[in-house]
Amino acid sequence: MKRKGMSRREFMALASLATAGGYLHLQNGIARAMMGSGGMGGGGMGGGGTTIINPPPGSPFKDPAEAVKNALGVYELAVQEAQVNVNGTWATLLTYNGAFPGPTIRARRGETLRVQLKNFLPSTTEKNILGHTKNITNLHTHGLHVSPEPPADSMMIQLKPGEIYDYSYDLGHEEPGHLNFYHPHVHGVVAEQYWGGLAGPLVIEDDTTALAGYETHIMVLKDLTLSGSAPTPYTSMMDYMHGKEGNLVMVNGQVNPVLNIRPGQVQRWRIVNASNARFYKLSLEGHSLYLVGTDGGLLDKLYHISSLLLSPGERADILVKASRTAKSYRFLSLPYSRGGMSSQQQVTLLTLSCKGATVNSSLPTSVNPGAKRVVMDTSMLPRRTLTLSMMQGRGYINGISFTDMDHTYKFMSHLGGWEVWEIINQSGMDHPFHQHVNSAQILSITGGDSAYASLYTTIPAWKDVVIVPKWGKVTMLVPVMDWPGMTMFHCHIIEHEDIGMMGAWDIMGMPM
Ligand code: C2O
Ligand code: CU
Ligand code: CU
């Protein structure tokens, strides 16, 4: 409660005190002090200073719209402002084809995915507070193992208002069975466009029938705060340092939608955290969750978990088996402290209404038996150390803040090899680290949530986003396969990417 009373002037006073490394320390100290004085407050606060966001059950759950190919087999995506009903308020958001979230694109391993992107945003010379020209956009297929060169997943492609680009992605080496997503990636303006609404699901279909029989839903987690009829603007460096978290926390653009399930029924939920900076710790009242897939594909079998931390950019494929007891259960995001100024919140994401005739669906005994943890001697592999830090309104990797491809921390890899990357977090805030093109297996996580660390260091998961805990570190095994070209790695608190916590990855070699 008290924290809310902290004015922008006070924030700015803090910001002006910022010196190398000390900034987040200082903020943390203050955040802790305020938590402490707040005590186990009442009215609106739960135990331990946790804010409870528990809106009443809303309208029926809806999956995102489905994208439809045109007669030429191309998905057309128009980036355009559109009026969207956000929890009862008509707001002008940035959308793909008028939809919030964007429509689901589906493809299969072995296909060529073609997307025509059209930038219908208004022409402007206006710059944002970081000095970048607004309304330039492009398309990133987050999670796909595809070429980082034009006409595929290249960040060098940039569309001014009025421009059109034909993307084409060879999915010949793609992993089946995972949920990905698409979003803009023009350095310096990503956070505003993403916050404004630009993100949509991208499914690579399963090539197994293990999960085919279950009712399946896609859930795009996205938060937003409106000022009047527009997303709140980026007005201070605090927005970038901290990362924006919205007061409306939505599943597929709906606040606390109601999803029906029958007692005993199994459903598959494919979840992507498409929020700028909000972390979710997913938990379903009265139920376990069964993890069957992660960022990079399906797991060998079910992993029984009570809750799952999902940071910006991460995905989870889970099965839920409804209780025999017909009643409503809340799907929650439990309190988690990612550091910095973020408050601890418990949020009701959706209401699972369990009713009707009991069915007795059974859980699968195996999902993708081919999924394995890689076992190899890593002692002779090339090792990279990537140190993440923040100071004076900029993000850094190995001491360099990204400004353009010539002013960034860059390294070269050789196609066909394996590498060990060690990512070190020298700040008081968690950073979800993301690398394009090749997903990795997590070898170790130091610090942070222990359930998260033990999960991802033991299951056969392929990850393209991993939480690097505050003051902690992660090591991961990265295969550098199939696709040469210039690509990126960065923090997926997407504001941190815009202020420079990004580097370039130059993959050398001949395509196979
Ligand atoms: Cu979802 Cu380079 O990002
Ligand atoms: Cu990405
Ligand atoms: Cu970050």
Side-chain angles (χ1 to χ4, degrees), residues 140 142 155 181 183 185 194 313 434 436 488 490 492 494:
H140 170 47
H142 179 136
M155 301 309 107
F181 66 122
H183 64 77
H185 216 295
Y194 198 58
H434 169 54
H436 290 197
M488 327 294 301
H490 57 90
H492 220 286
I494 212 71

